[in-house]
Amino acid sequence: MHGTKIIILNWNGEGHLARFLPGVVAAAPEGVGVVVADNGSTDGSLALLARDFPQVQVVRLDRNYGFAEGYNRALAQVEAEYFVLLNSDVETPAGWLEPLIETLERNPDIAAAAPKLLSAAEPGRFEYAGASGGFIDYLGYPFCRGRILRSIECDRGQYDDGRDVFWASGAAFCCRASVLRELGGFDAGFFAHMEEIDLCWRMQLAGYRVRIEPRSRVYHLGGGSLAQGSPSKVFYNHRNNLAMLYKCASPVQRSVVAIVRPVLDSCAALSYLMQGRPDYVRAVGRAWRDFLRAHKALAAKRRAVRGAVKGKPRGIYCGSIVLRYLLGRRRFGKLL
């Protein structure tokens, strides 16, 4: 597997590195290098790496650039044919990487492949961030095989078939370095959250495929950067979702989104207010404010993305996943 590098982006994750990095190093096949890109940590991460992991290459960034730009800057300093992006809180059993590399080597039109993502806390359940492959509905709401909104299924092998998907989780993401560079990497304006969905959408528009390979499985702790209840997470998810749709959606889909999403996001804000979370309401408001302020820059990005379309994305659900969820259809297998 010469030419493959596992790259872990770290920010103040000393505890995660101490817990999970030994397993990553142990499970790395011969010839696969492990790199930790440090996003300006102020904890003991660098001292830990120097003391306990001399075999791991360290790329030092001068400050916290977030997930998107942090990876862009780090990957510019790493030479490889395949990049394996891995969160610092992921447990990797032996044999997890080989099926992903095999998938890319056998299929030149596949740009990215990802493992089945299970919970490190509850290994019998899927993990929220990616489960067994991601999809998106017509209004931009992401969901997965094994996770519909907040409803997470147990893994009983029901999604063990490899298949094309719309997006793969950035928690464990194996991709061709050439395609990543061809597309300009992650959108640095996202900072964090949904940048991998945006990249997968652009990969497909450029004529490539994205694949889930459940023969590979990893265990993700989750919540290592922003907790589920964080107003910042609400802000980034709303803002980046709007930006992604504006950049990548077809003219028809974008028109539908422009009419319906303001109503849905207003309903979400009202729901947050009724839950006694005014901080979430403010986060939604800031998301829309920043999205509208970025209109000129996003319009230029949209022209670049849509002006070079070569392929049609797979996995856009032509309906509302929120409506299906409210109607009680909370398992992927019952969507159709």
Side-chain angles (χ1 to χ4, degrees):
M1 289 196 182
H2 180 71
T4 300
K5 293 286 182 66
I6 299 170
I7 304 99
I8 298 170
L9 188 66
N10 172 70
W11 179 66
N12 289 342
E14 179 183 4
H16 287 331
L17 292 175
R19 175 179 172 182
F20 293 101
L21 187 54
V24 174
V25 173
E30 183 178 355
V32 174
V34 179
V35 181
V36 172
D38 189 76
N39 228 350
S41 291
T42 56
D43 66 355
S45 293
L46 291 172
L48 172 76
L49 291 168
R51 183 182 68 246
D52 296 341
F53 301 98
Q55 73 274 52
V56 171
Q57 178 186 349
V58 178
V59 174
R60 298 191 183 196
L61 303 178
D62 60 323
R63 61 182 176 86
N64 182 13
Y65 290 94
F67 187 97
E69 181 63 2
Y71 258 126
N72 287 347
R73 288 174 176 263
L75 296 178
Q77 302 181 51
V78 176
E79 289 298 326
E81 182 180 0
Y82 301 122
F83 290 144
V84 184
L85 311 187
L86 192 69
N87 278 15
S88 62
D89 58 349
V90 173
E91 179 183 335
T92 55
W96 78 279
L97 185 53
E98 289 87 340
L100 303 181
I101 301 300
E102 177 187 321
T103 296
L104 294 180
E105 290 185 339
R106 289 187 174 182
N107 302 276
D109 61 336
I110 293 179
K116 182 163 68 172
L117 205 62
L118 299 169
S119 169
E122 298 180 75
R125 298 182 72 85
F126 290 106
E127 208 279 321
Y128 179 92
S132 193
F135 296 83
I136 198 169
D137 79 356
Y138 206 70
L139 299 174
Y141 292 93
F143 60 99
C144 309
R145 293 200 304 172
R147 191 268 294 173
I148 305 295
L149 300 183
R150 296 293 181 184
S151 180
I152 301 174
E153 297 180 42
C154 291
D155 175 25
R156 300 186 176 91
Q158 67 270 44
Y159 307 122
D160 275 357
D161 56 312
R163 61 170 292 179
D164 288 357
V165 293
F166 186 79
W167 60 272
S169 173
F173 184 89
C174 182
C175 68
R176 298 182 189 278
S178 59
V179 175
L180 192 73
R181 289 179 172 137
E182 172 191 335
L183 298 178
F186 294 108
D187 188 328
F190 279 41
F191 188 79
H193 296 296
M194 293 206 179
E195 65 287 312
E196 77 268 49
I197 305 179
D198 171 77
L199 177 62
C200 288
W201 200 338
R202 289 186 285 121
M203 284 176 169
Q204 292 176 87
L205 290 174
Y208 299 99
R209 296 155 58 201
V210 177
R211 188 86 173 170
I212 188 75
E213 180 45 78
R215 287 183 299 152
S216 170
R217 62 183 63 196
V218 298
Y219 300 86
H220 184 217
L221 187 62
S225 53
L226 289 174
Q228 287 290 347
S230 167
S232 293
K233 191 178 186 76
V234 174
F235 164 73
Y236 285 123
N237 278 337
H238 277 268
R239 186 199 66 175
N240 294 348
N241 187 262
L242 293 168
M244 175 181 68
L245 286 162
Y246 188 88
K247 287 167 47 185
C248 300
S250 69
V252 173
Q253 185 182 4
R254 188 165 70 101
S255 297
V256 173
V257 168
I259 296 170
V260 180
R261 276 298 294 272
V263 176
L264 292 178
D265 284 2
S266 297
C267 290
L270 180 60
S271 174
Y272 293 147
L273 187 63
M274 294 175 66
Q275 295 171 33
R277 295 304 305 256
D279 51 346
Y280 284 11
V281 178
R282 289 191 293 270
V284 174
R286 286 194 302 116
W288 271 92
R289 179 200 66 191
D290 283 15
F291 166 65
L292 294 173
R293 285 178 176 176
H295 179 270
K296 185 175 180 180
L298 288 172
K301 292 177 180 180
R302 176 178 173 79
R303 287 192 294 272
V305 171
R306 297 299 307 180
V309 171
K310 298 178 182 177
K312 184 177 180 180
R314 300 168 175 84
I316 299 180
Y317 176 59
C318 292
S320 168
I321 198 67
V322 175
L323 179 59
R324 291 282 186 170
Y325 185 86
L326 293 175
L327 290 174
R329 298 183 180 181
R330 300 181 180 182
R331 293 180 180 270
F332 183 89
K334 295 186 176 181
L335 282 177
L336 303 178

